[in-house]
Amino acid sequence: MDRCVVLVDAGYLLGAAASLLAGDPSRSRVTVDHTALIAALRERAEAETGLPLLRIYWFDAAPDRRPMPEHRRLRVLPRVTVRLGALTRAEGRWVQKGVDAAMHAELSELARNRACADVVLVTGDGDLLPGMMSAKEHGVVVHLWALQAADGDFNQSEDLVGEADERRVLDREWIERWVAVRESLPFQAPGPRAEIAKILSAPPAPARSGAATRPAARPEPAAALAGAAEPASALKVVPTPKDLAGRAPVPVVAAAVPSANGGGGGNGGGAHAGVNGTGANGHVVNGSGPVLRWSSDRGWVDRPAAETATAGDGLPTLAQLTTAEQRWVDREEDITTIGGDAHEVGQVFARRWTERLGDVERLTVLWPDYPRIPHRVDGELLRYAARFGLLAHKDDQIDEHDRYAIRAGFWKELAVRVPGGDLIVVED
C-alpha cells in the first residue's frame, strides 16, 4: 500500500528532547503539546516519504499498563494508536518492559501484511534491529529518525543506524515546536502546597475557660488567640494532633458515656479518639473539654456529644445526580480535556456536583465541618481520582499528598460557587 506509518518510542523521543533542552533526560523537566507533536510528526513523515499517513503508533510504558493522562489525550487524536508496555521498579529505578517487543511485533506485522510502503521509526534502541531487517525483507523502506543529541554525539544504536534505508536528525528548532522546558521553581524546603498546608496545619482552637493552659515551652499560636474574637458565623479553628499532644489534661466532670458507635472514622477510616478516659466515640460529658473526631484532613474538630452524623452526610452523591447521558459526556471530557493533576481533579468533581445539585444553598451545611468532606462523597471523589492514574505504582493507594491536593481542589471550587464560601480560605 502506498502509505507511510510512524512508530514512536516515546521514552526515546521525550527523553532525548528533555536532555537537549533541559539538560536532564527526565520527562518531568519538560511540558509537551501532544496535539502539536502529532501534527509535526505527520507533516514531517508525509513530506519525507511523499506518501499519505496511515497511522502513528505511540509506544510507551505505564505502571500496570494503566493509561496515564498523556496517553488518554493521545489516543483520542486522529490517526494515533497507543500501545502500552509495563513500567516496573528495578534496583531503585523505573524500567520499561515489553515496549521493544511490541514495536518489533507491530513493525513485522505491518510489513508482512503490506499495510504500508514506508515506515518511519523514532527510536534509538538496537533491540529493534531484527524487526527492521524483517520489514526490509518484505519490501518496506525504513526511515530512522534521531533527535539532536545534547552532546553532539549519536543517541542511537550504531547497528540500527547502519541498517536503516534513510536517516534524519530532528534538530532543536523542530523539537521546540512541541516541547518547552518546565519552569524551575526556586528551592524550597520539602513541604505541601500552600492550600494543602492550610489543611494540614490548621491552628488550634482557643483554650476554654477553666481548662489548664499549655506549658510555657509550648505557647498558643497567635492565630488561635485571634480566633476567640471571630464572629459566631466564622468557622472554628482546627487544632492538629501535634497541638493536642501539648495540651494539659482536661478534667472530666462526670463519668464518660459509652458510645454505641465504634471506632470507625470518616473519610477513609481514621479512628475516633477521646481524651482523658472519654467514651469510645470521643465524647466528653457536660462539655468539660473538647470533643474530638478524626476528619478528612487528619485534624480534630469540635463536635457536640449528641451528634452522630453531620448534615452534609445527607446530601446526594454525584452518581445519584448524574444521568446516563451526562456520564458519557463526563467520560469524554475526562479523556480529552482533564489533565489529571490532583488539584484539578478535585475541582472538576466539585464543579459537576454543584451544577447538578441545582440548589447550591443546600451545600452551605458543609461549611461548619470544613475541611471534612461527607463520607460517601469523599469516597466517591477518591474513586473518581483513580481514573487518572493517581493510583498507579502506589499499590492501589492514592499518595497522601495527592489525597490532600484532591480535597483542597474540591474545597477551592466549592468556595467560589456556594454561598458562604468566604468562610474558608483556600490559597493558590
Side-chain angles (χ1 to χ4, degrees):
M1 300 285 287
D2 292 334
R3 297 177 294 190
C4 68
V5 170
V6 180
L7 275 64
V8 179
D9 180 348
Y12 167 79
L13 175 67
L14 302 183
S19 292
L20 178 63
L21 300 185
D24 186 338
S26 173
R27 291 160 59 167
S28 62
R29 293 295 309 276
V30 295
T31 59
V32 179
D33 183 341
H34 293 93
T35 302
L37 168 57
I38 295 303
L41 286 170
R42 179 171 186 168
E43 176 187 349
R44 185 74 177 249
E46 291 181 337
E48 293 204 5
T49 63
L51 300 173
L53 177 75
L54 171 63
R55 191 173 297 115
I56 295 174
Y57 288 90
W58 185 271
F59 296 87
D60 204 355
D64 298 326
R65 291 187 168 85
R66 295 177 181 174
M68 303 298 283
E70 64 181 85
H71 303 138
R72 298 176 189 276
R73 289 191 290 271
L74 279 164
R75 65 185 184 183
V76 298
L77 295 177
R79 303 293 184 95
V80 176
T81 296
V82 175
R83 298 279 190 258
L84 294 179
L87 191 63
T88 60
R89 194 81 171 171
E91 298 181 356
R93 65 188 186 92
W94 293 106
V95 179
Q96 292 186 163
K97 297 292 184 182
V99 175
D100 296 332
M103 289 189 71
H104 179 282
E106 198 71 56
L107 176 58
S108 300
E109 194 70 13
L110 289 167
R112 187 180 302 110
N113 293 326
R114 301 187 181 278
C116 58
D118 290 49
V119 169
V120 175
L121 296 178
V122 186
T123 185
D125 197 332
D127 290 344
L128 205 59
L129 182 62
M132 178 186 287
M133 297 173 64
S134 175
K136 290 175 63 177
E137 290 172 359
H138 285 87
V140 174
V141 177
V142 179
H143 303 252
L144 182 65
W145 288 0
L147 268 71
Q148 179 179 337
D151 56 5
D153 201 354
F154 285 123
N155 55 10
Q156 290 178 308
S157 162
E158 291 190 16
D159 291 336
L160 211 59
V161 171
E163 191 67 29
D165 294 308
E166 301 282 349
R167 184 174 183 268
R168 296 288 181 272
V169 177
L170 308 176
D171 59 17
R172 176 186 287 267
E173 181 181 355
W174 183 85
I175 296 170
E176 289 177 339
R177 293 172 56 183
W178 49 268
V179 68
V181 178
R182 191 183 300 275
E183 293 183 6
S184 58
L185 298 176
F187 173 78
Q188 296 179 348
R193 288 162 48 170
E195 71 278 4
I196 304 171
K198 174 179 174 58
I199 293 179
L200 289 173
S201 304
R208 302 189 182 189
S209 59
T213 59
R214 291 186 185 182
R218 297 180 59 88
E220 291 284 352
L225 299 177
E230 292 184 353
S233 60
L235 292 179
K236 298 176 182 179
V237 290
V238 183
T240 66
K242 181 179 178 181
D243 296 322
L244 293 169
R247 290 186 176 178
V250 179
V252 180
V253 177
V257 179
S259 171
N261 184 13
N267 289 353
H272 294 283
V275 287
N276 295 340
T278 58
N281 201 28
H283 296 164
V284 178
V285 180
N286 296 333
S288 59
V291 181
L292 311 174
R293 63 167 168 76
W294 194 255
S295 72
S296 63
D297 70 322
R298 288 195 169 183
W300 301 103
V301 297
D302 292 338
R303 185 177 184 184
E307 187 181 354
T308 58
T310 64
D313 290 331
L315 292 170
T317 63
L318 178 61
Q320 293 171 329
L321 299 169
T322 304
T323 65
E325 292 78 10
Q326 288 173 323
R327 191 173 295 110
W328 187 89
V329 173
D330 290 349
R331 195 67 172 176
E332 190 73 10
E333 182 185 11
D334 291 344
I335 293 173
T336 57
T337 63
I338 308 303
D341 173 76
H343 199 265
E344 179 189 12
V345 166
Q347 289 183 282
V348 171
F349 182 93
R351 169 175 58 81
R352 292 174 181 168
W353 194 40
T354 53
E355 289 176 350
R356 290 167 197 175
L357 188 64
D359 181 12
V360 294
E361 294 280 352
R362 296 174 62 187
L363 293 176
T364 58
V365 300
L366 296 177
W367 300 139
D369 283 318
Y370 170 80
R372 179 186 183 274
I373 301 174
H375 181 75
R376 291 189 304 154
V377 175
D378 187 69
E380 185 181 40
L381 171 61
L382 296 181
R383 287 193 297 273
Y384 170 70
R387 298 182 188 176
F388 295 90
L390 294 174
L391 291 179
H393 69 263
K394 295 170 184 172
D395 299 324
D396 289 337
Q397 295 293 324
I398 296 180
D399 178 76
E400 184 176 42
H401 184 275
D402 286 343
R403 289 202 305 272
Y404 289 132
I406 293 164
R407 289 164 176 156
F410 174 90
W411 282 112
K412 180 178 180 180
E413 190 68 18
L414 252 63
V416 299
R417 289 175 170 270
V418 179
D422 56 339
L423 293 178
I424 68 171
V425 178
V426 183
E427 301 176 354
D428 290 325

